[in-house]
Amino acid sequence: MKLVHVENYDEMSMQAARAVFDKITSSERVVLGLATGSTPEKMYDYLVDMLNKNKVDLSHVYTVNLDEYVGLDADHPQSYHQYMNRIFFDRVDIPKNHTFLPNGAAENLEDEVAEYEKLIEELGGVDLQILGIGRNGHIAFNEPGTAFDSETHVVDLTETTVNDNARFFDTIDEVPKQAISMGLSTIMNAKSIVMMASGEEKADAITAMMEGEVDESLPASILQRHHDVTVIADRKALREG
C-alpha cells in the first residue's frame, strides 16, 4: 500500500479528487467505482469544480457505485441514487446511461445482485475504485465476518449501522435493514484503489488495515493483498497530532 499523509479532511478530499481527475483525463475509456457517505462529499465538490473549469469531455466515463439500500427506489430522497445525483451526476456531463447503481427496489434481489456483478464484468471491470473505511474496518457494506471471496450480495445491516443512519429518516422503523453491496472479491478486482480516511475515529481501523493480520474480522485488511492501493489519510486518522 502507498500511504499519502495529508493535514486534514480538506486536503484529503483535494488529493482524492486530483487522483480521479487524472485518471479521467489520462484514459480513453474509464470505469470509476464510486462511494457514498460523508467521507467523499468534499472530494466530489472538488472533482466537479476541476472537471467543469477544465471543460473535460466525459463521454468516455462510466461509473458503478458500491451499494444501495434495499427497499428504497431510485426516487427516494435517502437512496444512494439521489445522493449521487445531488452531489455529482447532476453537476457534471457524464451521460446518465453510463452511471450504474444497484436497484434496491428490485423484486428479485438474488437476480439483481447477479446482474450487477455481470454488469461490472461486461464494462470491463473497475479501473479506479474509491473507498472509505468504517470504524470497524468495513468497506462498502461489508461488515466484519464477510467472506473475502464474496461478490455483489445482499447484506443485513448491523444494529449500529441502522442506528447511525436513523438521523436521515423520520423514525427508526423507516431505516432500511438491508443493502446491496459489492463484495470484497468484487472490490479487489478493481485495477487500482484509492481509500480516504479522516478523523481520529478511523485511526484504529487504518492501523489494523495496514499493519495487522489479513483476516475476515477486519474486511479492509484484504487490501494488503491488492497490487495498487493508495491510502490518503489525514493527521488525526494517522495519530500524528
Side-chain angles (χ1 to χ4, degrees), residues 6-40:
V6 295
E7 284 294 315
N8 50 38
Y9 174 78
D10 190 73
E11 188 180 349
M12 177 204 71
S13 303
M14 173 64 82
Q15 291 273 6
R18 173 59 63 181
V20 180
F21 178 84
D22 288 347
K23 189 67 175 179
I24 289 172
T25 54
S26 66
S27 304
E28 292 185 3
R29 180 182 181 278
V30 65
V31 179
L32 302 175
L34 300 182
T36 53
S38 56
T39 298

Side-chain angles (χ1 to χ4, degrees), residues 218-237:
L218 192 91
S221 66
I222 195 176
L223 298 178
Q224 292 183 33
R225 297 177 178 170
H226 196 281
H227 66 283
D228 186 5
V229 177
T230 300
V231 179
I232 306 172
D234 67 11
R235 292 177 64 87
K236 289 184 177 179

Side-chain angles (χ1 to χ4, degrees), residues 58-75:
L58 300 175
S59 60
H60 66 301
V61 177
Y62 295 78
T63 71
V64 288
N65 264 74
L66 284 168
D67 39 35
E68 177 59 284
Y69 290 118
V70 167
L72 301 189
D73 63 37
D75 293 329

Side-chain angles (χ1 to χ4, degrees), residues 187-205:
I187 291 168
M188 286 291 286
N189 284 334
K191 297 175 183 68
S192 60
I193 294 171
V194 169
M195 172 177 279
M196 295 182 286
S198 173
E200 59 189 18
E201 69 275 10
K202 302 298 178 71
D204 287 344

Side-chain angles (χ1 to χ4, degrees), residues 109-199:
L109 294 176
E110 209 170 291
D111 287 348
E112 176 61 20
V113 296
E115 287 170 10
Y116 199 69
E117 190 73 22
K118 183 180 177 183
L119 165 70
I120 296 169
E121 185 179 336
E122 289 175 346
L123 287 171
V126 173
D127 295 301
L128 175 62
Q129 176 67 59
I130 302 298
L131 292 177
I133 186 170
R135 287 176 290 178
N136 62 1
H138 74 254
I139 49 178
F141 273 123
N142 297 295
E143 297 285 355
T146 302
F148 279 164
D149 63 357
S150 56
E151 297 184 334
T152 302
H153 58 142
V154 176
V155 178
D156 293 323
L157 302 181
T158 64
E159 184 178 354
T160 299
T161 299
V162 171
N163 289 333
D164 283 349
N165 291 337
R167 67 188 187 276
F168 300 117
F169 295 84
D170 291 335
T171 69
I172 191 74
D173 293 333
E174 294 179 26
V175 183
K177 307 303 189 290
Q178 291 183 310
I180 295 172
S181 177
M182 282 191 202
L184 295 172
S185 174
T186 314
I187 291 168
M188 286 291 286
N189 284 334
K191 297 175 183 68
S192 60
I193 294 171
V194 169
M195 172 177 279
M196 295 182 286
S198 173

